Amino acid sequence: FWINRSELECLKLCSLWGGSVLNLGTEKHRDKYFDGIDNLDYPGCFAMTELHHGSNVQGLQTTATFDPVTDEFIIDTPNDGAIKWWIGNAAVHGKFATVFAKLILPTHDSKKVSDMGVHAFIVPIRDLNTLQTLPGIEIHDCGHKVGLNGVDNGALRFRSVRIPRDNLLNRFGDVSQDGKYTSSLPTINKRFAAMLGELVGGRVGLAYASVGFLKISVTIAVRYSLLRQQFGPPEQPEVSILDYQSQQHKLMPMLASSYAFHFATQHLVQKYSEMKKMHDEQLVADVHALSAGLKAYVTSYTAKSLSTCREACGGHGYAAVNRFGSLRNDHDIFQTFEGDNTVLMQQVS
């Protein structure tokens, strides 16, 4: 009926960390990491958001500078604003991170370096056996949150951390040992769009999960309204509050919307599955628009509905046992992670 904290953790592990490796990497990455991701030997995190940059992914400041002498990338956090922030699974459990950073290549002209745009890199952050933080990496807990405190959000800072050249997730762009860049896509913008297009799975999952929150809250409110009696004709039993039009006007549209959103998000999941199999460009564009629109619309609707359901249950709805408070707190972030709803709606339009 609704996604719980362990399932949200799984979404972050599999769809974001695992999905980035599988979808942005190539066969060598799948061969090396897939089994460990699948059996949870390699728990990881998705290090895109920075303290100063969330929705504006092209503005990320973390750098990955190629060193042709050692055949390595040097991952660096140039300032406090570039610290990776709100990174799920980073504070306690993550052994790896998919780090999104500007790819910097040395050149032989007056500029000395060339910025090739944001790319994704696999960066080990903890020892696989001892779980001790690796040299050059600082990890901090982001602290207590409004909800979802079962997820260990952390902050990551990199101080000249060296990784092998093969750790570049190179499906859309690669670097040779002598520092030459190659890509099947001609521009930074096209590479960026292709990379983000492969990461819509998180939005698909959140839209579907948000409907689960709506279902459970509407179920609680409707059942309560059937049983709760208030007022009625003189000398006769009190009337179920669901018989009042004011209560029906609150709850029945949400009940109907729960069904509509259920089928809409099921359709989105099917479309997403087709997209992953077929790699059709038109289907990719459709899923991008559908996932952005449904994620934004459904999560905004559910956020408002959770408050309405609580109010529809009167004073009793304020008791923690009814779960409206925890549902509302855990769901609230759905409106801003995996894309701020305002920005997503602008994308759709």
Side-chain angles (χ1 to χ4, degrees), residues 53-68:
H53 287 88
S55 296
N56 182 17
V57 178
Q58 283 186 300
L60 297 178
Q61 298 178 76
T62 302
T63 57
T65 305
F66 183 61
D67 181 353

Side-chain angles (χ1 to χ4, degrees), residues 51-315:
L51 188 58
H52 283 180
H53 287 88
S55 296
N56 182 17
V57 178
Q58 283 186 300
L60 297 178
Q61 298 178 76
T62 302
T63 57
T65 305
F66 183 61
D67 181 353
V69 176
T70 60
D71 199 28
E72 294 173 316
F73 287 104
I74 305 169
I75 310 297
D76 198 46
T77 304
N79 54 63
D80 289 350
I83 294 172
K84 295 296 181 180
W85 202 264
W86 293 128
I87 309 304
N89 303 316
V92 180
H93 301 111
K95 297 178 181 179
F96 296 89
T98 297
V99 176
F100 289 80
K102 292 188 295 185
L103 172 56
I104 307 297
L105 294 179
T107 62
H108 301 290
D109 55 24
S110 59
K111 292 194 296 185
K112 295 186 179 180
V113 294
S114 178
D115 181 352
M116 305 307 296
V118 174
H119 288 64
F121 303 81
I122 296 175
V123 181
I125 59 174
R126 285 186 173 90
D127 184 279
L128 294 181
N129 298 313
T130 67
L131 293 184
Q132 293 298 307
T133 303
L134 293 176
I137 294 170
E138 296 177 13
I139 303 177
H140 301 280
D141 196 301
C142 286
H144 199 74
K145 306 185 294 290
V146 171
L148 290 181
N149 283 295
V151 180
D152 56 325
N153 292 84
L156 298 171
R157 182 169 201 146
F158 306 97
R159 296 187 185 276
S160 300
V161 176
R162 289 180 173 266
I163 59 171
R165 178 169 54 88
D166 277 349
N167 283 30
L168 166 65
L169 294 173
N170 61 335
R171 179 178 170 188
F172 298 115
D174 204 0
V175 176
S176 65
Q177 191 169 357
D178 59 357
K180 295 277 176 54
Y181 184 83
T182 55
S183 175
S184 58
L185 301 168
T187 66
I188 286 178
N189 286 340
K190 286 187 179 294
R191 292 193 292 269
F192 180 74
M195 179 181 71
L196 291 193
E198 286 298 320
L199 301 174
V200 298
R203 290 176 186 168
V204 173
L206 287 182
Y208 195 82
S210 183
V211 179
F213 278 82
L214 181 62
K215 287 177 182 177
I216 196 69
S217 61
V218 170
T219 299
I220 294 168
V222 170
R223 284 177 174 169
Y224 174 84
S225 299
L226 280 167
L227 295 172
R228 175 68 164 172
Q229 295 179 326
Q230 201 86 273
F231 306 110
E235 308 299 327
Q236 292 190 31
E238 290 187 292
V239 177
S240 166
I241 63 173
L242 194 58
D243 286 339
Y244 290 100
Q245 284 187 344
S246 58
Q247 194 76 348
Q248 292 171 8
H249 287 167
K250 286 180 182 177
L251 297 180
M252 292 303 102
M254 288 189 289
L255 180 60
S257 295
S258 298
Y259 280 93
F261 293 160
H262 170 83
F263 292 115
T265 51
Q266 271 199 337
H267 173 73
L268 174 59
V269 169
Q270 289 166 359
K271 282 277 191 184
Y272 177 72
S273 180
E274 290 173 25
M275 183 198 83
K276 299 304 290 180
K277 291 175 186 174
M278 297 171 61
H279 302 289
D280 177 79
E281 281 191 24
Q282 185 56 53
L283 203 51
V284 171
D286 289 347
V287 170
H288 179 76
L290 277 172
S291 62
L294 274 174
K295 184 269 183 188
Y297 186 76
V298 171
T299 57
S300 293
Y301 184 93
T302 298
K304 294 182 179 71
S305 297
L306 285 164
S307 289
T308 302
C309 285
R310 204 288 301 161
E311 293 163 14
C313 294

